[in-house]
Amino acid sequence: MDMPMTAQQQALIARLYDAALDDALWPQLCRDLADAFGGASETILILQSDSGAQLLNPAGHFGKEATSAYEAYYWQHDIWAKLAYRLGVGQVHDSAEHIRPRDFERTQFYADFCRPHDLYHVICAILPMAPGEAALLGVHRQRTQGPFADSPLVQAQLQALLPHLQRALRIRARLAQSGMQERTTRAALDALDTAVLLIDSRLDVLYANASALALFGPGLERSLHCPAGGSPRWCALPQLAQAVRQAIGTGQGKRLAAPVASALRLPRPDAPDLYLTVAPFQPPQGPFRQRACALVLARDPQAPPIAVPALQQLFDLTQAEAQVAQALAQGAAIDRIAADTGVSINTVRTHLHHIYDKTGTARQGELIARIHQNASPLTRKECSP
């Protein structure tokens, strides 16, 4: 029969889920866990994987040096963790019941790590997290406090808390992974030389990467609406607003049968026209998950050309062939390329046929698309001649 939870246990469970959302709450929570279950100083919570260990509350019981020493070396010699693994994961185990004092005191783990921090008795548990990952929970006592064997109720109460701790740690891990994916995605988008925007049905700009801000100006950080701060270049283009609403699936106050993708041209008075692609987009996760958006893509025709060394590396082209491929990717005609490079048109055509063979293409349009699809935007900066 399950033991009813005390008010203190219920409060700790609620705080576990709060800590899953905020790492700053773990140190105080671990101190309170020690108080609740008869430990000294604070409970120690360690995340272990095949490649190492991390103390989730390093600032309390241990200093920086001891924390680093454990994470770098002693986690592999933690006999309490080995005990918990051997006796069974997901269960609370008392060290005093399974390790004789003299055997414990002969270990390097005790001599170099536990004794300097006055750690002698422990009730501990291993919680499986993911393949190759686990969490080690340890409630410690000093030697003078005596073992936990005289407190079976404490062990039972800690056992009741374990499923909630495991769930909270898994939520924390999932959120951390999601945050890393979002940061990686944003970094990748900012590296693109293509302008990328997310726009909602109110024409508010939810996201603009670095290229979009450089291309259209800081007004994009607010809205497409005018005159409330939107960029003037956007304001003159009502067909863009219409394309955004069609991509989202709204228009004239009624729902369309399905979102529609479209392409349009944005005239610019002192620069070549921009060609925009507007497509439906439903973010799979993150802060905009429940908001239907339009994805707007544009690239500045005046952006730096794809670097010749990058084309040579990507497609195994000679320098002359890479120069022809670069010029074609920028929209130059064959006769213009011949005039600019000082060779005959037949020579340019010969280079072009070699480029077709090396890139697996057969026509100029297909070749240009292949170049733009495969040439990394990073190589434009790093491999420029």
Side-chain angles (χ1 to χ4, degrees):
M1 183 175 179
D2 292 338
M3 183 181 304
M5 286 192 177
T6 65
Q8 184 183 39
Q9 283 178 291
Q10 292 174 352
L12 287 172
I13 289 171
R15 292 175 58 199
L16 279 173
Y17 293 113
D18 289 339
L21 307 177
D22 185 355
D23 271 1
L25 300 179
W26 284 107
Q28 181 59 52
L29 177 58
C30 286
R31 286 191 287 273
D32 293 341
L33 285 171
D35 291 340
F37 297 107
S41 183
E42 67 178 280
T43 294
I44 298 174
L45 186 58
I46 302 164
L47 302 179
Q48 293 187 345
S49 68
D50 295 336
S51 58
Q54 174 196 2
L55 270 72
L56 197 56
N57 54 316
H61 194 82
F62 304 115
K64 183 177 181 180
E65 185 176 343
T67 296
S68 298
Y70 184 91
E71 293 177 344
Y73 177 77
Y74 288 107
W75 72 277
Q76 300 175 79
H77 304 277
D78 188 334
I79 64 171
W80 291 330
K82 293 179 180 179
L83 169 70
Y85 275 116
R86 186 175 73 249
L87 296 177
V89 299
Q91 296 293 319
V92 175
H93 305 289
D94 184 352
S95 63
E97 295 179 359
H98 302 280
I99 304 175
R100 292 183 299 181
R102 66 180 181 181
D103 293 335
F104 175 50
E105 292 169 9
R106 289 173 181 170
T107 65
Q108 181 191 33
F109 181 62
Y110 170 74
D112 296 347
F113 190 81
C114 295
R115 183 168 61 183
H117 298 97
D118 202 7
L119 306 177
Y120 199 88
H121 307 287
V122 64
I123 49 175
C124 58
I126 292 288
L127 300 173
M129 300 295 295
E133 297 179 356
L136 170 63
L137 172 71
V139 182
H140 300 80
R141 281 182 177 175
Q142 300 170 356
R143 185 169 190 167
T144 57
Q145 290 180 286
F148 288 89
D150 57 350
S151 308
L153 181 61
V154 167
Q155 295 187 50
Q157 291 175 337
L158 183 60
Q159 183 70 48
L161 196 71
L162 292 186
H164 299 281
L165 174 60
Q166 183 184 46
R167 194 171 301 125
L169 289 173
R170 284 177 172 171
I171 291 171
R172 174 187 179 273
R174 194 174 300 121
L175 290 173
Q177 183 181 31
S178 176
M180 181 179 296
Q181 291 173 344
E182 182 178 351
R183 289 191 296 273
T184 302
T185 300
R186 286 179 178 267
L189 289 174
D190 279 339
L192 293 176
D193 61 354
T194 298
V196 179
L197 302 111
L198 286 180
I199 302 172
D200 67 9
S201 60
R202 297 178 299 185
L203 302 184
D204 289 333
V205 177
L206 304 179
Y207 172 77
N209 72 347
S211 293
L213 293 174
L215 186 58
F216 297 108
L220 282 179
E221 295 176 349
R222 293 183 290 272
S223 174
L224 301 190
H225 289 292
C226 291
S231 169
R233 296 176 185 175
W234 291 96
C235 298
L237 196 66
Q239 59 265 43
L240 174 60
Q242 180 181 359
V244 167
R245 292 190 174 101
Q246 288 177 339
I248 292 173
T250 59
Q252 303 302 321
K254 61 182 180 180
R255 198 74 183 168
L256 296 179
V260 177
S262 59
L264 62 151
R265 185 176 64 183
L266 173 61
R268 297 191 294 177
D270 301 317
D273 294 349
L274 290 180
Y275 291 87
L276 308 181
T277 300
V278 184
F281 182 75
Q282 181 66 54
Q285 60 184 3
F288 308 125
R289 182 179 56 192
Q290 303 300 327
R291 299 174 68 175
C293 309
L295 180 69
V296 179
L297 304 174
R299 185 172 185 274
D300 189 350
Q302 295 179 312
I306 299 168
V308 166
L311 292 173
Q312 290 180 260
Q313 294 165 12
L314 287 169
F315 303 112
D316 195 25
L317 304 179
T318 66
Q319 183 173 1
E321 291 165 353
Q323 289 172 341
V324 171
Q326 180 195 59
L328 286 170
Q330 291 302 111
I334 290 179
D335 56 349
R336 182 65 186 176
I337 297 172
D340 289 345
T341 56
V343 299
S344 68
I345 293 177
N346 286 337
T347 299
V348 175
R349 286 177 175 154
T350 299
H351 290 322
L352 181 57
H353 285 296
H354 291 161
I355 296 168
Y356 286 157
D357 290 339
K358 293 179 179 181
T359 58
T361 57
R363 294 182 297 274
Q364 287 189 34
E366 186 180 358
L367 170 63
I368 292 170
R370 178 68 53 84
I371 291 172
H372 283 291
Q373 288 168 358
N374 292 278
S376 166
L378 296 178
T379 61
R380 303 172 195 268
K381 301 172 184 175
E382 297 173 358
C383 300
S384 57

